[in-house]
Amino acid sequence: MTAKLVMENIGMKFGEGSGKTTVLDDVNLSIDTGEFVAITGPSGSGKSTLLSIAGALLTPTRGRLLLNGENVSTLSPKESTAMRLHNIGFIFQSAHLIPYLRVEDQLLYIGKIAKLPKQQAKKRAHERLAMLGLTHRKRHYPANLSGGERQRVAIARAWMNDPELLLADEPTASLDASRGQEVVETLAKQVKEQQKAAVMVTHDTRLFDLCDRVITLSDGKIEQSMKEMVST
């Protein structure tokens, strides 16, 4: 397999002088094509910081981040923004949909930001909504959707620019168990079918069976990496 994401000796400190706090300490992590990885651990262990660095939203104090073999650490701010827009999709605890845009327009807005030709954006939006079983909801506003549907729209939106890497921060936190399971099953399926890569921060142990690996963070270090054994 080819690694989509490589984090080498990542360290992150916040604060100044004697008040500096180490959040991540010499983290090494590689996510392969077609792999869906969960990151778990207690509050304050560095999970969200790790995800932010993986998404090029934060620059680590030390270490190197590679996406598709490209050293993200050497990119200019403008290049980093373009990298996030075209290569990384983000899903958060809340769907963060724009309340006054219909479902289809949520996706078309992302296409507009990426400067996709209108017809290409329209075609891709239709494909993404069909992929997630949302075609019949494309003219609905967020207020008229269930929680699970809103999160599926968020996944479709994250897929809109065909990113190589998908990052999800507690994507089921606002959902009940069955809807949460549905959302993560959808995510896992698309990662496999489209040969992308995904990293999900979660505390929900019920979702671990849907992941290829479960990585536990503790005090800024990788404490355990468990590989799921799947019989064929």
Side-chain angles (χ1 to χ4, degrees):
M1 285 188 178
T2 303
K4 291 283 189 185
L5 174 71
V6 177
M7 305 180 83
E8 296 179 346
N9 306 116
I10 295 293
M12 189 69 189
K13 293 184 178 183
F14 290 110
E16 298 291 337
S18 60
K20 276 189 177 180
T21 301
T22 298
V23 179
L24 295 174
D25 186 10
D26 201 31
V27 171
N28 290 278
L29 179 62
S30 179
I31 311 296
D32 292 332
T33 298
E35 193 174 25
F36 184 29
V37 175
I39 297 179
T40 192
S43 297
S45 59
K47 302 184 301 298
S48 292
T49 299
L50 184 66
L51 207 67
S52 294
I53 292 173
L57 294 170
L58 280 178
T59 301
T61 307
R62 62 182 174 84
R64 194 165 70 136
L65 173 70
L66 304 174
L67 183 60
N68 281 342
E70 185 172 8
N71 188 351
V72 177
S73 309
T74 64
L75 299 180
S76 68
K78 184 177 181 180
E79 289 170 333
S80 291
T81 298
M83 167 73 78
R84 288 192 296 271
L85 180 60
H86 295 287
N87 293 285
I88 305 173
F90 296 91
I91 304 170
F92 303 99
Q93 292 185 28
S94 175
H96 292 300
L97 302 180
I98 301 171
Y100 54 82
L101 289 183
R102 292 184 173 94
V103 166
E104 181 182 24
D105 294 328
Q106 305 278 341
L107 277 64
L108 292 176
Y109 178 67
I110 299 300
K112 183 178 180 180
I113 294 173
K115 297 181 180 179
L116 290 178
K118 285 185 179 179
Q119 288 306 312
Q120 182 183 352
K122 193 93 169 175
K123 180 175 182 291
R124 189 176 289 181
H126 288 174
E127 289 172 350
R128 299 300 185 264
L129 293 175
M131 176 178 86
L132 290 158
L134 290 164
T135 301
H136 66 300
R137 293 296 206 183
K138 68 178 183 179
R139 304 304 296 166
H140 287 67
Y141 289 99
N144 302 124
L145 304 177
S146 69
E149 287 171 334
R150 285 193 290 271
Q151 279 296 66
R152 277 191 284 151
V153 174
I155 293 174
R157 182 179 60 185
W159 281 114
M160 182 61 188
N161 289 336
D162 198 26
E164 295 299 316
L165 176 67
L166 205 65
L167 302 174
D169 192 359
E170 298 281 6
T172 64
S174 61
L175 305 177
D176 60 36
S178 61
R179 284 176 175 168
Q181 185 87 3
E182 175 190 13
V183 164
V184 176
E185 282 177 354
T186 299
L187 179 56
K189 178 184 176 184
Q190 297 308 320
V191 167
K192 299 298 181 196
E193 288 184 355
Q194 299 194 29
Q195 284 296 284
K196 304 298 186 178
V199 182
M200 174 181 67
V201 166
T202 184
H203 287 101
D204 192 343
T205 59
R206 293 169 298 186
L207 302 176
F208 290 172
D209 286 344
L210 299 172
C211 302
D212 298 299
R213 272 190 292 159
V214 179
I215 293 169
T216 301
L217 272 183
S218 180
D219 294 326
K221 292 178 178 289
I222 291 180
E223 185 177 81
Q224 179 185 357
S225 180
M226 180 177 67
K227 192 80 173 181
E228 292 290 330
M229 302 301 293
V230 182
S231 58
T232 56

PDB file of all heavy atoms in Angstrom, residues 40-64:
ATOM      1  N   THR A  40      -8.094   7.365  19.685  1.00  0.00           N
ATOM      2  CA  THR A  40      -8.835   7.515  20.923  1.00  0.00           C
ATOM      3  C   THR A  40      -7.874   7.836  22.065  1.00  0.00           C
ATOM      4  O   THR A  40      -6.657   7.850  21.883  1.00  0.00           O
ATOM      5  CB  THR A  40      -9.659   6.243  21.224  1.00  0.00           C
ATOM      6  OG1 THR A  40     -10.581   6.499  22.275  1.00  0.00           O
ATOM      7  CG2 THR A  40      -8.759   5.061  21.583  1.00  0.00           C
ATOM      8  N   GLY A  41      -8.421   8.091  23.229  1.00  0.00           N
ATOM      9  CA  GLY A  41      -7.598   8.436  24.385  1.00  0.00           C
ATOM     10  C   GLY A  41      -8.342   9.412  25.275  1.00  0.00           C
ATOM     11  O   GLY A  41      -9.365   9.990  24.879  1.00  0.00           O
ATOM     12  N   PRO A  42      -7.858   9.631  26.495  1.00  0.00           N
ATOM     13  CA  PRO A  42      -8.540  10.523  27.436  1.00  0.00           C
ATOM     14  C   PRO A  42      -8.504  11.976  26.974  1.00  0.00           C
ATOM     15  O   PRO A  42      -7.694  12.349  26.112  1.00  0.00           O
ATOM     16  CB  PRO A  42      -7.740  10.340  28.735  1.00  0.00           C
ATOM     17  CG  PRO A  42      -6.397   9.874  28.289  1.00  0.00           C
ATOM     18  CD  PRO A  42      -6.633   9.042  27.066  1.00  0.00           C
ATOM     19  N   SER A  43      -9.383  12.779  27.531  1.00  0.00           N
ATOM     20  CA  SER A  43      -9.386  14.216  27.230  1.00  0.00           C
ATOM     21  C   SER A  43      -8.032  14.811  27.580  1.00  0.00           C
ATOM     22  O   SER A  43      -7.442  14.474  28.611  1.00  0.00           O
ATOM     23  CB  SER A  43     -10.485  14.917  28.027  1.00  0.00           C
ATOM     24  OG  SER A  43     -11.754  14.439  27.662  1.00  0.00           O
ATOM     25  N   GLY A  44      -7.533  15.681  26.708  1.00  0.00           N
ATOM     26  CA  GLY A  44      -6.246  16.312  26.951  1.00  0.00           C
ATOM     27  C   GLY A  44      -5.051  15.498  26.502  1.00  0.00           C
ATOM     28  O   GLY A  44      -3.901  15.899  26.735  1.00  0.00           O
ATOM     29  N   SER A  45      -5.300  14.378  25.825  1.00  0.00           N
ATOM     30  CA  SER A  45      -4.189  13.513  25.408  1.00  0.00           C
ATOM     31  C   SER A  45      -3.537  13.970  24.102  1.00  0.00           C
ATOM     32  O   SER A  45      -2.502  13.436  23.705  1.00  0.00           O
ATOM     33  CB  SER A  45      -4.662  12.059  25.261  1.00  0.00           C
ATOM     34  OG  SER A  45      -5.702  11.966  24.302  1.00  0.00           O
ATOM     35  N   GLY A  46      -4.144  14.942  23.411  1.00  0.00           N
ATOM     36  CA  GLY A  46      -3.559  15.486  22.190  1.00  0.00           C
ATOM     37  C   GLY A  46      -4.244  15.065  20.906  1.00  0.00           C
ATOM     38  O   GLY A  46      -3.745  15.333  19.808  1.00  0.00           O
ATOM     39  N   LYS A  47      -5.417  14.419  21.011  1.00  0.00           N
ATOM     40  CA  LYS A  47      -6.098  13.884  19.827  1.00  0.00           C
ATOM     41  C   LYS A  47      -6.461  14.978  18.822  1.00  0.00           C
ATOM     42  O   LYS A  47      -6.147  14.865  17.640  1.00  0.00           O
ATOM     43  CB  LYS A  47      -7.365  13.127  20.250  1.00  0.00           C
ATOM     44  CG  LYS A  47      -7.142  11.986  21.212  1.00  0.00           C
ATOM     45  CD  LYS A  47      -8.428  11.226  21.491  1.00  0.00           C
ATOM     46  CE  LYS A  47      -9.526  12.094  22.080  1.00  0.00           C
ATOM     47  NZ  LYS A  47      -9.173  12.681  23.392  1.00  0.00           N
ATOM     48  N   SER A  48      -7.140  16.009  19.289  1.00  0.00           N
ATOM     49  CA  SER A  48      -7.589  17.063  18.376  1.00  0.00           C
ATOM     50  C   SER A  48      -6.411  17.846  17.813  1.00  0.00           C
ATOM     51  O   SER A  48      -6.444  18.279  16.648  1.00  0.00           O
ATOM     52  CB  SER A  48      -8.561  18.012  19.094  1.00  0.00           C
ATOM     53  OG  SER A  48      -9.778  17.334  19.390  1.00  0.00           O
ATOM     54  N   THR A  49      -5.364  18.026  18.621  1.00  0.00           N
ATOM     55  CA  THR A  49      -4.164  18.700  18.126  1.00  0.00           C
ATOM     56  C   THR A  49      -3.522  17.885  17.018  1.00  0.00           C
ATOM     57  O   THR A  49      -3.108  18.421  15.984  1.00  0.00           O
ATOM     58  CB  THR A  49      -3.157  18.913  19.271  1.00  0.00           C
ATOM     59  OG1 THR A  49      -3.753  19.736  20.276  1.00  0.00           O
ATOM     60  CG2 THR A  49      -1.884  19.579  18.771  1.00  0.00           C
ATOM     61  N   LEU A  50      -3.451  16.576  17.214  1.00  0.00           N
ATOM     62  CA  LEU A  50      -2.887  15.687  16.194  1.00  0.00           C
ATOM     63  C   LEU A  50      -3.688  15.782  14.899  1.00  0.00           C
ATOM     64  O   LEU A  50      -3.117  15.858  13.802  1.00  0.00           O
ATOM     65  CB  LEU A  50      -2.873  14.250  16.705  1.00  0.00           C
ATOM     66  CG  LEU A  50      -2.223  13.199  15.791  1.00  0.00           C
ATOM     67  CD1 LEU A  50      -0.741  13.470  15.651  1.00  0.00           C
ATOM     68  CD2 LEU A  50      -2.450  11.792  16.328  1.00  0.00           C
ATOM     69  N   LEU A  51      -5.009  15.810  15.020  1.00  0.00           N
ATOM     70  CA  LEU A  51      -5.860  15.901  13.839  1.00  0.00           C
ATOM     71  C   LEU A  51      -5.666  17.242  13.130  1.00  0.00           C
ATOM     72  O   LEU A  51      -5.648  17.300  11.898  1.00  0.00           O
ATOM     73  CB  LEU A  51      -7.331  15.724  14.245  1.00  0.00           C
ATOM     74  CG  LEU A  51      -8.269  15.161  13.173  1.00  0.00           C
ATOM     75  CD1 LEU A  51      -7.910  13.720  12.847  1.00  0.00           C
ATOM     76  CD2 LEU A  51      -9.721  15.252  13.619  1.00  0.00           C
ATOM     77  N   SER A  52      -5.507  18.310  13.908  1.00  0.00           N
ATOM     78  CA  SER A  52      -5.299  19.639  13.318  1.00  0.00           C
ATOM     79  C   SER A  52      -3.974  19.725  12.575  1.00  0.00           C
ATOM     80  O   SER A  52      -3.872  20.371  11.533  1.00  0.00           O
ATOM     81  CB  SER A  52      -5.355  20.717  14.412  1.00  0.00           C
ATOM     82  OG  SER A  52      -6.648  20.804  14.965  1.00  0.00           O
ATOM     83  N   ILE A  53      -2.957  19.073  13.104  1.00  0.00           N
ATOM     84  CA  ILE A  53      -1.666  19.036  12.415  1.00  0.00           C
ATOM     85  C   ILE A  53      -1.773  18.199  11.142  1.00  0.00           C
ATOM     86  O   ILE A  53      -1.270  18.584  10.082  1.00  0.00           O
ATOM     87  CB  ILE A  53      -0.565  18.485  13.344  1.00  0.00           C
ATOM     88  CG1 ILE A  53      -0.291  19.485  14.469  1.00  0.00           C
ATOM     89  CG2 ILE A  53       0.718  18.191  12.567  1.00  0.00           C
ATOM     90  CD1 ILE A  53       0.654  18.979  15.536  1.00  0.00           C
ATOM     91  N   ALA A  54      -2.460  17.059  11.226  1.00  0.00           N
ATOM     92  CA  ALA A  54      -2.655  16.210  10.048  1.00  0.00           C
ATOM     93  C   ALA A  54      -3.385  16.959   8.942  1.00  0.00           C
ATOM     94  O   ALA A  54      -3.151  16.724   7.754  1.00  0.00           O
ATOM     95  CB  ALA A  54      -3.430  14.950  10.434  1.00  0.00           C
ATOM     96  N   GLY A  55      -4.273  17.869   9.333  1.00  0.00           N
ATOM     97  CA  GLY A  55      -5.035  18.646   8.370  1.00  0.00           C
ATOM     98  C   GLY A  55      -4.378  19.949   7.960  1.00  0.00           C
ATOM     99  O   GLY A  55      -4.997  20.782   7.284  1.00  0.00           O
ATOM    100  N   ALA A  56      -3.116  20.144   8.357  1.00  0.00           N
ATOM    101  CA  ALA A  56      -2.353  21.356   8.019  1.00  0.00           C
ATOM    102  C   ALA A  56      -3.027  22.626   8.537  1.00  0.00           C
ATOM    103  O   ALA A  56      -2.885  23.706   7.959  1.00  0.00           O
ATOM    104  CB  ALA A  56      -2.126  21.451   6.506  1.00  0.00           C
ATOM    105  N   LEU A  57      -3.765  22.477   9.647  1.00  0.00           N
ATOM    106  CA  LEU A  57      -4.359  23.642  10.306  1.00  0.00           C
ATOM    107  C   LEU A  57      -3.422  24.203  11.367  1.00  0.00           C
ATOM    108  O   LEU A  57      -3.487  25.387  11.709  1.00  0.00           O
ATOM    109  CB  LEU A  57      -5.688  23.253  10.969  1.00  0.00           C
ATOM    110  CG  LEU A  57      -6.808  22.842  10.018  1.00  0.00           C
ATOM    111  CD1 LEU A  57      -7.980  22.262  10.796  1.00  0.00           C
ATOM    112  CD2 LEU A  57      -7.264  24.034   9.180  1.00  0.00           C
ATOM    113  N   LEU A  58      -2.549  23.344  11.894  1.00  0.00           N
ATOM    114  CA  LEU A  58      -1.529  23.738  12.866  1.00  0.00           C
ATOM    115  C   LEU A  58      -0.166  23.291  12.359  1.00  0.00           C
ATOM    116  O   LEU A  58      -0.048  22.213  11.757  1.00  0.00           O
ATOM    117  CB  LEU A  58      -1.776  23.079  14.228  1.00  0.00           C
ATOM    118  CG  LEU A  58      -2.820  23.669  15.164  1.00  0.00           C
ATOM    119  CD1 LEU A  58      -2.916  22.805  16.421  1.00  0.00           C
ATOM    120  CD2 LEU A  58      -2.500  25.107  15.530  1.00  0.00           C
ATOM    121  N   THR A  59       0.857  24.112  12.617  1.00  0.00           N
ATOM    122  CA  THR A  59       2.229  23.740  12.282  1.00  0.00           C
ATOM    123  C   THR A  59       2.897  23.183  13.532  1.00  0.00           C
ATOM    124  O   THR A  59       2.918  23.843  14.567  1.00  0.00           O
ATOM    125  CB  THR A  59       3.028  24.947  11.773  1.00  0.00           C
ATOM    126  OG1 THR A  59       2.376  25.486  10.622  1.00  0.00           O
ATOM    127  CG2 THR A  59       4.447  24.551  11.402  1.00  0.00           C
ATOM    128  N   PRO A  60       3.422  21.961  13.467  1.00  0.00           N
ATOM    129  CA  PRO A  60       4.037  21.383  14.664  1.00  0.00           C
ATOM    130  C   PRO A  60       5.297  22.129  15.075  1.00  0.00           C
ATOM    131  O   PRO A  60       5.959  22.770  14.248  1.00  0.00           O
ATOM    132  CB  PRO A  60       4.363  19.955  14.228  1.00  0.00           C
ATOM    133  CG  PRO A  60       4.508  20.021  12.747  1.00  0.00           C
ATOM    134  CD  PRO A  60       3.532  21.068  12.297  1.00  0.00           C
ATOM    135  N   THR A  61       5.634  22.040  16.358  1.00  0.00           N
ATOM    136  CA  THR A  61       6.864  22.640  16.862  1.00  0.00           C
ATOM    137  C   THR A  61       8.074  21.980  16.222  1.00  0.00           C
ATOM    138  O   THR A  61       9.072  22.619  15.930  1.00  0.00           O
ATOM    139  CB  THR A  61       6.939  22.490  18.393  1.00  0.00           C
ATOM    140  OG1 THR A  61       5.733  23.008  18.974  1.00  0.00           O
ATOM    141  CG2 THR A  61       8.132  23.230  18.958  1.00  0.00           C
ATOM    142  N   ARG A  62       7.981  20.676  16.027  1.00  0.00           N
ATOM    143  CA  ARG A  62       9.042  19.953  15.315  1.00  0.00           C
ATOM    144  C   ARG A  62       8.435  18.742  14.611  1.00  0.00           C
ATOM    145  O   ARG A  62       7.317  18.338  14.889  1.00  0.00           O
ATOM    146  CB  ARG A  62      10.142  19.511  16.279  1.00  0.00           C
ATOM    147  CG  ARG A  62       9.715  18.559  17.365  1.00  0.00           C
ATOM    148  CD  ARG A  62      10.884  18.221  18.290  1.00  0.00           C
ATOM    149  NE  ARG A  62      10.457  17.414  19.428  1.00  0.00           N
ATOM    150  CZ  ARG A  62      10.334  16.099  19.388  1.00  0.00           C
ATOM    151  NH1 ARG A  62      10.612  15.450  18.276  1.00  0.00           N
ATOM    152  NH2 ARG A  62       9.935  15.428  20.452  1.00  0.00           N
ATOM    153  N   GLY A  63       9.212  18.178  13.700  1.00  0.00           N
ATOM    154  CA  GLY A  63       8.753  17.013  12.956  1.00  0.00           C
ATOM    155  C   GLY A  63       8.330  17.369  11.541  1.00  0.00           C
ATOM    156  O   GLY A  63       8.377  18.526  11.121  1.00  0.00           O
ATOM    157  N   ARG A  64       7.892  16.355  10.815  1.00  0.00           N
ATOM    158  CA  ARG A  64       7.579  16.517   9.404  1.00  0.00           C
ATOM    159  C   ARG A  64       6.259  15.840   9.067  1.00  0.00           C
ATOM    160  O   ARG A  64       5.971  14.740   9.549  1.00  0.00           O
ATOM    161  CB  ARG A  64       8.709  15.891   8.573  1.00  0.00           C
ATOM    162  CG  ARG A  64       8.701  16.268   7.107  1.00  0.00           C
ATOM    163  CD  ARG A  64      10.022  15.919   6.451  1.00  0.00           C
ATOM    164  NE  ARG A  64      10.191  14.470   6.331  1.00  0.00           N
ATOM    165  CZ  ARG A  64      10.647  13.867   5.235  1.00  0.00           C
ATOM    166  NH1 ARG A  64      11.010  14.582   4.186  1.00  0.00           N
ATOM    167  NH2 ARG A  64      10.784  12.566   5.187  1.00  0.00           N
TER     168      ARG A  64
END
